Amino acid sequence: MFARNSCRALVYRKLLNELLKRNRYLSTNQNLAVVTASNIVPFKLADIGEGIKEVEIKEWYVKVGDHVKQFDKICDVQSDKANVTITCRYDGQVMKLYHQINETANVGEPLIDIQLTQDGTQQLHHTPIVQDDTSEDRSSSTSTGFTPTPQVLATPAVRRLAKDLQISLNDVQGTGKDYRILKEDVLNFDKTKVGLPSTGTTTAPPTTTIQTPMPIIPPSPSTVKQPIVQPPTRTVVSPTATVQTQPAKEDRHETIKGIKKIMVKTMTQANTIPHFTYCDDYDMTELVKLRKKLKKLYQQEKKTLKLSYMPFIIKACSLALMEYPILNAHVDAKCETITYKAAHNIGVAMDTRDGLLVPNIKNVQLLSIQDIALELTRLQQQGYQGKLTNEDMQGGTFSLSNIGAIGGTYAVPILVIPEVAIGALGKISLKPCAPENLDDSSSSSDDDEDSYPDVEFRHMMSISWSADHRVIDGATMARFSNKLKSYLENPMMMMINTK
Ligand code: COA
C-alpha cells in the first residue's frame, strides 16, 4: 500500500507540474478573459462528444445562492444518447441559473454563473477551463452519471463503471500508463470482491453483475463462477406503458421535447432514405424447445440467467452477418462511402423509461449466447432506470426491434442511420403449418381435398427487414434472411459455427 501511495505521489507531482505549465499558457489566454470584475464566471456546458449539440435540463442540484465546490453535482441533462450528470469545476457561489427544467441548453453556452471564492479564483488559475479540452479525462466538467473521485487517473467511462459496481477507485490498482485505472482493473477488482477469478484483459463487454437498485441474488458457493443476474421484472416497465382509463375532458397540448424531439429528428432523417421491406416466416419450434431445456438446466443448477429468445436471435444475426458483411455497414451522409464495420454492435430497440432507445451490444461476434443474455439484461435494467450511457448507445452497426415482446406480428422498421439494415421481430406463436419438407408435387389438387396432409402446429415468428435500397438489394437481404432462418430453425448449427 505504501509503495503504491508513493507511486501515486510521484504521478501527482508530475501532473501538478504539467498543470502549472499549462496554467502559464492559459493565464495569458482565454482563461482570465471569462472572469468579470466581480469574480463571476459563466460555467459552460462542455462538449459531451458524439456530435451532441444540445441537451435538455432534467434536474437542478443547485439554486441561486448555493455554495458549490469542485465536483459537486450541478444538474442532470439528457441528450439524444444518454443521461449525463454535470459536475462543477469551481468553488464559489451560484449567482444565476440560465435554464428552467425541461429547457434546452446548448453546448458551449453557460449553464450557471458562479462567483468564485478566493480559493476558487486560484483554482481557476490552476485548472485548465478551456471548453474544448481534448484530454481523455474530462470528468471534472462533464460526467456521465457519476461524481468523479479526484486524484485518480481514469476515463469517465471507467469512473461510471466503478460507480455502477459500487467500487471506490481509490481501492483499485491502475495498470495503465502513469497508473491510470483501466476498465479491466475495475472489472478484475470487482471479481476479486465477489470471489471470481481474474480474467485479465478482454475486449468483451462486462459480464459481471451490474449493481443497481434491482434485486440481485447473491452467489451461492456452488454458483460462484457464474455471473448472476436477477432479471428485470415487468413491474418496472416504462411509464410510457401507463394506461389512462378516465376519458379526457378537453384537448391537451404537449411540447415535443427530450427523446421524443430527438425521435422527430432521427426518424425524419431516416425516412428520407429509400428503403425496402422484406418479410418471411421462421419456424422457431426447435429454438423454443432448446430454450425451454436450457432454462430448466439453469434452474436445476440454481443459476439465474434471463434467457429470452433475443440472445439466440442476436447471435444468429451475427453469424449470418459474417457471410453478408454489407448488412453490417455504415453509409456516409452523402452516400459516397460504405464502411464495412468490423465489430457486430447489434442494437436492440428498447422500450425504456425515457421512450424508445436503441442501445447496442458490442462485439457480438466475440460473445457467447450467455454473454449476450447478460449484456442485454444489463441494458434493459439501465433502460428501465433511465441510466443508459453514451457508451451503451454509441457505435451500433445493425439493429433489431422485438415488437413481438409486446405482441405484434408485422412491422415495417425504420433504419437507424447510418446503419443499412434493421429487422422487426414478431411474436412467436403457435400456427398451423403444412408438414415440414412437404413436396409440393405430392400436395393434392382442389378436387382431391381428402388427401390433404394433416397440418402441424409449429412455433412461428415473422421477421420484417428494412434495408437501405441505395446500397442493399432485395436478393442480398433475402439470402441473409435465409441464412439467419437456417440458424434459428436448426439452432445446433449455431453451435458449430460459434467461435
Ligand atoms: N415472441 C414470443 N415471446 C417473446 C418475444 C416474442 N417475439 N419476445 C419476448 N418474448 C418473451 C420472452 O422470451 C420472455 O419470456 P420468458 O419470461 O418466458 O423468458 C418475455 O417475453 C419477456 O421478454 P422481455 O423482457 O421483453 O425480453 P426480450 O429479451 O425478449 O426483449 C427488449 C428485450 C428490450 C427487446 C424488450 O424488452 C423491449 O423493450 N421490446 C420492445 C421493443 C419496441 O418497443 N420495439 C418497437 C420499436 S418501434
Side-chain angles (χ1 to χ4, degrees):
M1 178 58 89
F2 177 75
R4 195 176 131 202
N5 283 342
S6 49
C7 283
R8 281 225 168 110
L10 274 175
V11 174
Y12 299 149
R13 204 169 306 142
K14 217 171 121 189
L15 271 177
L16 188 64
N17 286 337
E18 190 59 32
L19 285 176
L20 287 171
K21 261 191 260 162
R22 289 174 78 172
N23 173 48
R24 277 199 286 280
Y25 167 76
L26 289 165
S27 60
T28 56
N29 288 277
Q30 64 258 63
N31 195 5
L32 289 183
V34 295
V35 188
T36 65
S38 54
N39 241 5
I40 294 177
V41 287
F43 174 57
K44 293 180 182 171
L45 176 62
D47 185 1
I48 297 170
E50 279 295 297
I52 295 166
K53 296 275 182 287
E54 59 179 34
V55 296
E56 192 177 306
I57 306 287
K58 300 308 288 181
E59 187 171 356
W60 281 112
Y61 294 110
V62 294
K63 56 183 183 316
V64 171
D66 280 359
H67 288 273
V68 286
K69 286 197 159 50
Q70 283 182 81
F71 309 117
D72 280 355
K73 284 194 207 175
I74 296 296
C75 59
D76 278 350
V77 300
Q78 186 176 63
S79 73
D80 56 339
K81 312 284 181 192
N83 294 332
V84 177
T85 299
I86 306 293
T87 51
C88 196
R89 57 169 51 196
Y90 312 120
D91 295 351
Q93 189 176 16
V94 177
M95 304 305 285
K96 177 175 176 179
L97 304 188
Y98 278 80
H99 303 282
Q100 304 283 339
I101 296 225
N102 291 335
E103 274 184 8
T104 300
N106 294 319
V107 167
E109 289 179 11
L111 284 171
I112 56 174
D113 281 349
I114 299 182
Q115 184 165 43
L116 301 177
T117 57
Q118 184 81 23
D119 290 350
T121 314
Q122 281 163 15
Q123 161 59 33
L124 178 70
H125 290 186
H126 288 275
T127 306
I129 62 161
V130 274
Q131 296 294 330
D132 61 350
D133 182 0
T134 50
S135 75
E136 200 185 0
D137 191 345
R138 287 184 299 180
S139 53
S140 61
S141 62
T142 306
S143 65
T144 44
F146 64 92
T147 309
T149 314
Q151 299 184 322
V152 171
L153 287 179
T155 62
V158 171
R159 290 174 189 279
R160 187 182 57 247
L161 176 67
K163 189 186 176 233
D164 284 345
L165 295 169
Q166 297 179 351
I167 290 172
S168 163
L169 284 179
N170 289 317
D171 297 335
V172 181
Q173 175 71 63
T175 60
K177 189 168 178 278
D178 291 337
Y179 301 94
R180 181 176 292 274
I181 297 173
L182 309 176
K183 184 170 145 188
E184 290 73 32
D185 299 329
V186 176
L187 292 175
N188 286 335
F189 182 85
D190 186 55
K191 282 175 186 165
T192 54
K193 233 177 40 169
V194 294
L196 289 170
S198 163
T199 54
T201 305
T202 169
T203 50
T207 56
T208 47
T209 303
I210 301 296
Q211 305 277 326
T212 70
M214 304 289 292
I216 307 287
I217 297 178
S220 67
S222 60
T223 62
V224 80
K225 290 198 170 165
Q226 176 61 47
I228 292 175
V229 173
Q230 175 73 8
T233 59
R234 277 309 206 173
T235 50
V236 288
V237 83
S238 77
T240 51
T242 312
V243 180
Q244 198 172 351
T245 49
Q246 293 296 321
K249 292 200 176 90
E250 54 188 32
D251 296 349
R252 190 169 62 89
H253 302 283
E254 186 182 279
T255 310
I256 299 174
K257 56 195 179 197
I259 297 283
K260 284 185 190 158
K261 192 170 165 195
I262 304 299
M263 220 160 99
V264 171
K265 210 191 267 181
T266 52
M267 291 296 111
T268 308
Q269 274 173 359
N271 212 30
T272 62
I273 291 172
H275 63 275
F276 67 93
T277 300
Y278 168 91
C279 309
D280 200 4
D281 291 330
Y282 293 27
D283 184 346
M284 304 288 278
T285 309
E286 292 307 314
L287 187 60
V288 169
K289 286 185 201 161
L290 176 69
R291 187 182 83 114
K292 210 169 166 184
K293 272 189 202 159
L294 284 170
K295 283 186 82 164
K296 211 168 169 183
L297 281 175
Y298 274 101
Q299 263 167 13
Q300 277 168 4
E301 292 188 25
K302 296 196 170 41
K303 293 174 183 168
T304 311
L305 178 78
K306 181 175 186 286
L307 194 58
S308 65
Y309 296 104
M310 285 303 279
F312 298 93
I313 298 171
I314 291 167
K315 187 67 197 179
C317 280
S318 171
L319 292 173
L321 286 172
M322 300 274 189
E323 290 186 39
Y324 298 93
I326 180 71
L327 292 170
N328 190 59
H330 281 184
V331 172
D332 66 315
K334 291 185 179 165
C335 200
E336 289 170 344
T337 311
I338 300 174
T339 306
Y340 293 81
K341 304 298 280 185
H344 294 177
N345 296 344
I346 299 192
V348 180
M350 213 169 258
D351 187 22
T352 73
R353 196 191 71 176
D354 299 316
L356 177 75
L357 289 174
V358 192
N360 62 78
I361 299 178
K362 305 276 187 295
N363 286 309
V364 172
Q365 79 282 8
L366 303 176
L367 301 185
S368 68
I369 290 168
Q370 179 178 280
D371 293 337
I372 298 169
L374 289 166
E375 181 63 356
L376 181 62
T377 303
R378 183 187 73 80
L379 292 174
Q380 221 176 339
Q381 288 178 340
Q382 299 292 92
Y384 287 150
Q385 295 167 33
K387 285 186 182 169
L388 286 168
T389 63
N390 284 353
E391 204 184 336
D392 294 330
M393 306 293 294
Q394 289 164 12
T397 58
F398 178 91
S399 291
L400 291 172
S401 173
N402 182 7
I403 196 71
I406 301 174
T409 306
Y410 311 101
V412 177
I414 295 186
L415 295 170
V416 182
I417 52 174
E419 295 169 26
V420 297
I422 179 171
L425 316 175
K427 184 176 168 59
I428 300 170
S429 48
L430 268 182
K431 290 203 175 131
C433 301
E436 212 184 350
N437 303 326
L438 181 71
D439 181 356
D440 276 348
S441 59
S442 67
S443 66
S444 5
S445 61
D446 284 349
D447 47 33
D448 188 14
E449 286 180 5
D450 287 347
S451 62
Y452 273 119
D454 290 339
V455 293
E456 277 181 25
F457 279 86
R458 311 284 295 174
H459 292 274
M460 301 301 291
M461 178 177 77
S462 300
I463 300 197
S464 316
W465 296 106
S466 288
D468 183 339
H469 214 343
R470 299 170 305 173
V471 291
I472 311 289
D473 55 51
T476 305
M477 194 75 245
R479 288 192 189 104
F480 167 82
S481 176
N482 288 344
K483 190 74 209 172
L484 176 69
K485 185 174 175 166
S486 73
Y487 284 128
L488 294 177
E489 295 193 344
N490 306 289
M492 276 192 305
M493 291 305 291
M494 286 170 67
M495 281 164 42
I496 288 176
N497 286 285
T498 301
K499 295 199 170 53

